[in-house]
Amino acid sequence: MKETTPLANKESFTSKFSKKLRNAIFVDGATLKSTAKAYLYLLPALIIIVVFSIYPIFRSLQLAFYTDFNFFTREGFETGTDNFTYVLNSQTFHLSLRNTITFVIGVVPLTIIISLMIALAIHSVAKGTAFFRSIYFLPHITSTIAIATVFQWIFHTQSGILNYILSWFGIDPIAWLGHPDWAMPALIIMSVWSNLGFGTVLLLAGLQTIDKGLYLAAKVDGAGKWHRFTTVTLPMLSPTIFFLSITSVIGSFRIFGQIFALFRGPGTANSALTVVYFIYQQFWEVRNIPRASAAALVLFAIIFAITLVQMAVGKKLVHYK
Amino acid sequence: MSDQTTLGQGPLSKTTLYILLSLGSILMLLPFLWMIISSFMTNHELLSINPRVFWPSTFQWNNYYRAMQVAPFGRYFFNSFVVAILGTIGELITTILAAYAFSRMKFWGRDILFAILLATMMVPNEILIIPNFITIANLGWVDRFEALIVPWLASVFSIFLLRQFFLGIPIQLSYAAKVDGCSDFKFLWYVMVPLAKPALITITLLTTISSWNAFLWPLIVTNITEMRTVPVGLAMFRGEAGSQYDLLMAATVLAVLPMFVLYLIMQKYIVAAASRSGLKG
């Protein structure tokens, strides 16, 4: 009896698995005819997705291992891990990674905290919600290139409106886009400004779903305003904050276009060189496709690892109803 | 009374909050206002230091004309409109067909195929762009509309969104249609599509806005000036116009105008649609 139990368990496990697999493939009630018809409906979408979203995943894995590749004929010859060695040891790549991480650490918490304050304020005033929301949201639908072009003018050292306003407070003109130390602050200011609206809209939607009875109950229990905020509002908003932090970390890691338009390059002394900019340089300026692919895969691995960590932390902190 | 049960009456009074929110709104609108005002000033006025000028002495409508002389913005607009319109129509067609199959048809491999499609949403664009460029180059599509449109003709996110919506439509409707001898395609076109209007509006808006604002991909697949889209043309304009900020701002106003108009008309739908997705990439 004792000897048969593990075997029986194993059998039931494999049969369970194969049953699951069978169910995933052979949908109940499907026939050859219905299957053929369905794939006819799926065909246009599948062709595009297979060619431009699934095949390139495998192709980029292949590309990253070519050590000898002709950009113009797009043929690869030798293979090896040289590209990964190069990327992981490159000072420039390290710099781009440091810059990107500085950017993410600067933008994500600021965006979430300010969005939360705006959302709370809009929610509290009750009237004019739609009006305020649509104003704060405006940058979100605007082209990032257009925003960066306007900010390039706002950040202008001699004639920029920002330095003009700062001069009221006796601050000397700052070379926002010219000085290496100010490149990241400039980029962060612009990005927080343009990301606020999205966070505000999401958090506002989250606030509107909170059951008012919870506040009443907390009040009856004698909870003060701050206490009600930390025991009702924050826990009930935590899924939204969690979602926002994951999407904005991923989005911020991918920053490129804004830098291209704001600095017309990677900034003085590469001060605004980010990882995607590094990939672009390797791909378009150095014309080294395998190296660019390797860098893109490294970026994906980093984003993926950080998302996993966030998920693990989120599991502990996020309150689900 | 209702305030006592909501968040209201926090540490700040309503009046204070209104003032703060209005100041914030000014801060949000200021860059746009400054962009518009700057586009009507002369470069001399813009670069003036003492006294600093903040309003055009005469409105320089000419700036817009001159900006269009420096770079072919008319052509950029044409390209962006073609890409946005054809791309959106194409994506709607592939999405409607695929979402119908996933929600109403029985076929082998359905669940596993759907899972694979969802998994592709996790892969960032940056990984796809290099191999896709090679595919486009091999097809001979560089500097052609095909390169700007075809790769974006299907979206897993849109299929997912519409499938969920279709699943919410009572199945009894399709039984009734079958009894009446209505074909799948007719049922989809005359019953499902009209019922799914809210989801289709969401998909249309998201696709149009992200197509209009797309940058990295159009930058890579266009080498010649005539094929640039508006954002690419604008990014390159800085090099062509030099430090003529009057022209640069006029060009930027032109670039954002179509989406501003769309936002003005469809504001409510756009906010709702965008909050369902990341939108920006």
Side-chain angles (χ1 to χ4, degrees):
Chain A
M1 192 61 190
K2 261 179 190 170
E3 279 170 352
T4 54
T5 321
L7 196 70
N9 271 344
K10 203 179 169 196
E11 253 178 13
S12 75
F13 174 75
T14 45
S15 73
K16 233 185 202 168
F17 182 75
S18 67
K19 207 175 163 190
K20 249 188 178 166
L21 193 70
R22 219 182 312 125
N23 282 343
I25 297 171
F26 299 105
V27 172
D28 281 341
T31 61
L32 192 63
K33 206 181 150 202
S34 73
T35 303
K37 197 173 172 189
Y39 277 98
L40 207 63
Y41 276 72
L42 287 168
L43 197 64
L46 279 186
I47 291 175
I48 302 291
I49 293 167
V50 168
V51 175
F52 294 105
S53 298
I54 295 176
Y55 161 74
I57 300 171
F58 300 100
R59 180 77 167 130
S60 91
L61 281 169
Q62 184 200 19
L63 284 170
F65 287 98
Y66 279 125
T67 50
D68 183 7
F69 189 88
N70 186 320
F71 184 88
F72 296 98
T73 60
R74 299 174 292 274
E75 283 173 311
F77 306 99
E78 311 270 313
T79 56
T81 54
D82 292 9
N83 301 310
F84 290 97
T85 319
Y86 176 88
V87 169
L88 294 173
N89 290 310
S90 155
Q91 295 290 323
T92 321
F93 182 77
H94 292 170
L95 176 65
S96 75
L97 192 56
R98 269 203 306 279
N99 286 341
T100 312
I101 290 171
T102 311
F103 176 73
V104 173
I105 291 175
V107 166
V108 176
L110 271 180
T111 307
I112 292 177
I113 291 168
I114 301 176
S115 308
L116 183 59
M117 289 180 349
I118 298 170
L120 287 170
I122 294 180
H123 188 64
S124 308
V125 297
K127 264 180 202 155
T129 307
F131 173 75
F132 283 123
R133 194 180 57 182
S134 59
I135 287 178
Y136 285 95
F137 196 70
L138 189 57
H140 192 76
I141 58 121
T142 312
S143 143
T144 49
I145 300 303
I147 290 175
T149 310
V150 175
F151 270 82
Q152 177 192 275
W153 172 225
I154 288 173
F155 285 135
H156 194 282
T157 312
Q158 280 92 44
S159 316
I161 198 165
L162 182 59
N163 276 349
Y164 180 78
I165 293 170
L166 290 175
S167 74
W168 297 341
F169 305 97
I171 298 169
D172 286 333
I174 295 168
W176 292 101
L177 305 179
H179 196 285
D181 290 348
W182 289 104
M184 271 300 145
L187 199 58
I188 290 169
I189 291 172
M190 182 183 84
S191 301
V192 170
W193 177 85
S194 63
N195 294 346
L196 279 180
F198 182 61
T200 304
V201 165
L202 281 196
L203 290 165
L204 201 53
L207 280 172
Q208 281 158 352
T209 60
I210 299 178
D211 185 359
K212 290 189 171 79
L214 288 174
Y215 288 110
L216 199 64
K219 208 174 176 173
V220 170
D221 288 346
K225 278 165 191 164
W226 177 250
H227 200 63
R228 266 178 282 162
F229 177 73
T230 54
T231 53
V232 179
T233 313
L234 273 186
M236 297 309 281
L237 274 185
S238 59
T240 313
I241 296 173
F242 176 63
F243 173 78
L244 207 54
S245 69
I246 289 204
T247 53
S248 38
V249 165
I250 295 175
S252 306
F253 256 101
R254 298 170 56 198
I255 184 168
F256 168 73
Q258 293 93 318
I259 296 163
F260 192 92
L262 197 58
F263 300 93
R264 290 178 69 204
T268 313
N270 277 342
S271 51
L273 184 83
T274 57
V275 177
V276 177
Y277 207 107
F278 177 87
I279 297 170
Y280 174 78
Q281 275 187 336
Q282 291 299 324
F283 173 55
W284 207 237
E285 288 163 20
V286 185
R287 310 231 149 182
N288 192 331
I289 284 185
R291 209 181 269 168
S293 305
L297 288 171
V298 172
L299 173 68
F300 178 46
I302 294 169
I303 295 179
F304 193 69
I306 292 178
T307 307
L308 286 183
V309 171
Q310 280 184 289
M311 296 272 203
V313 174
K315 229 176 195 172
K316 285 191 180 160
L317 296 180
V318 176
H319 171 93
Y320 291 105
K321 272 173 238 178
Chain B
M1 178 62 202
S2 69
D3 287 335
Q4 290 178 329
T5 54
T6 63
L7 258 179
Q9 313 307 321
L12 303 170
S13 76
K14 269 197 177 174
T15 323
T16 323
L17 286 176
Y18 270 121
I19 292 169
L20 286 176
L21 280 173
S22 305
L23 284 176
S25 302
I26 292 170
L27 222 53
M28 294 311 285
L29 291 177
L30 201 63
F32 294 120
L33 292 175
W34 187 225
M35 161 186 83
I36 295 167
I37 297 167
S38 296
S39 76
F40 288 112
M41 288 159 80
T42 65
N43 211 37
H44 184 74
E45 285 172 324
L46 286 174
L47 298 172
S48 67
I49 291 175
N50 216 355
R52 193 80 173 79
V53 181
F54 288 104
W55 195 255
S57 52
T58 45
F59 275 70
Q60 303 292 327
W61 291 93
N62 205 17
N63 285 346
Y64 287 84
Y65 177 74
R66 282 168 56 220
M68 309 227 343
Q69 297 299 112
V70 177
F73 271 97
R75 176 71 203 196
Y76 299 164
F77 270 91
F78 173 76
N79 293 343
S80 277
F81 274 116
V82 168
V83 172
I85 291 169
L86 291 184
T88 305
I89 293 173
E91 191 187 305
L92 282 173
I93 294 171
T94 62
T95 303
I96 290 170
L97 292 174
Y100 183 71
F102 276 124
S103 61
R104 281 292 187 270
M105 294 174 126
K106 285 178 174 164
F107 60 93
W108 295 329
R110 185 185 68 191
D111 298 350
I112 206 154
L113 185 65
F114 194 62
I116 292 172
L117 292 192
L118 287 185
T120 64
M121 289 212 293
M122 293 222 359
V123 180
N125 233 334
E126 286 69 28
I127 293 207
L128 309 180
I129 266 179
I130 298 165
N132 281 347
F133 171 78
I134 295 178
T135 305
I136 291 296
N138 287 339
L139 288 166
W141 284 356
V142 171
D143 284 327
R144 291 170 64 107
F145 276 114
E146 286 93 324
L148 294 166
I149 298 171
V150 175
W152 311 104
L153 281 181
S155 146
V156 175
F157 177 77
S158 301
I159 293 171
F160 178 71
L161 197 77
L162 190 61
R163 170 193 178 259
Q164 297 306 98
F165 200 92
F166 277 170
L167 286 176
I169 296 173
I171 189 98
Q172 283 78 6
L173 274 178
S174 69
Y175 294 151
K178 275 216 179 102
V179 170
D180 290 345
C182 178
S183 74
D184 265 307
F185 189 75
K186 269 191 177 162
F187 174 70
L188 169 62
W189 189 247
Y190 291 108
V191 181
M192 296 291 264
V193 168
L195 283 174
K197 219 164 120 192
L200 293 172
I201 289 174
T202 300
I203 293 168
T204 306
L205 290 172
L206 290 178
T207 312
T208 309
I209 295 172
S210 61
S211 160
W212 186 269
N213 293 337
F215 178 64
L216 186 52
W217 179 251
L219 174 73
I220 283 170
V221 296
T222 57
N223 294 317
I224 55 171
T225 315
E226 296 89 84
M227 284 313 294
R228 286 175 185 163
T229 58
V230 173
V232 178
L234 184 64
M236 298 302 182
F237 190 66
R238 177 72 207 274
E240 288 150 0
S243 48
Q244 289 174 283
Y245 286 100
D246 50 348
L247 303 191
L248 199 58
M249 288 305 111
T252 314
V253 172
L254 288 176
V256 300
L257 208 58
M259 289 306 113
F260 275 21
V261 172
L262 187 69
Y263 187 59
L264 213 62
I265 304 167
M266 309 282 286
Q267 184 255 113
K268 231 168 109 182
Y269 292 98
I270 292 176
V271 174
S275 56
R276 282 186 209 165
S277 82
L279 187 72
K280 255 182 188 172

